[in-house]
Amino acid sequence: VNIPWTLLVKGPDNPHTARILRALGATEQAGEWDFRPAIDLLMFCNGPWCDQSPRAIKNLTLLGYPPQKLYYYRGGMQLWQIMGLTTVVPEQ
């Protein structure tokens, strides 16, 4: 599932934050988030020069998302494709 970084960078100020965290498996009770059931996330950018994933990771951890559930592929899509690894283009 692709979640655009623009939906992750505003943290609690984003009106979509609660919906996104629930979709990732986190639960909320009495205003507190429980990330134990949350899924592991693999974050990647367009290329190694891009800072969007690190910014999203920072905001997720500030919200309480466990760092051990966050993985970051630093090469991004550019290096992935240069190495000839598989990509799938969604049908439109």
Side-chain angles (χ1 to χ4, degrees):
V1 175
N2 180 17
I3 300 173
W5 77 280
T6 54
L7 295 179
L8 297 174
V9 294
K10 294 182 182 176
D13 297 332
N14 186 337
H16 302 288
T17 296
R19 182 173 52 91
I20 291 168
L21 293 178
R22 283 188 200 99
L24 297 174
T27 58
E28 182 183 21
Q29 287 188 346
E32 295 290 321
W33 286 99
D34 179 6
F35 291 96
R36 288 176 294 174
I39 62 173
D40 291 354
L41 301 177
L42 173 62
M43 313 289 277
F44 63 91
C45 284
N46 189 32
W49 48 267
C50 184
D51 74 337
Q52 294 175 353
S53 290
R55 289 170 58 192
I57 290 167
K58 177 182 177 184
N59 284 315
L60 283 168
T61 57
L62 289 174
L63 290 167
Y65 214 95
Q68 65 271 20
K69 291 185 177 244
L70 299 171
Y71 299 89
Y72 176 41
Y73 174 62
R74 287 170 177 79
M77 284 303 294
Q78 284 186 348
L79 291 183
W80 185 272
Q81 291 174 325
I82 287 170
M83 291 187 299
L85 300 170
T86 304
T87 59
V88 177
V89 177
E91 292 183 29
Q92 303 228 358

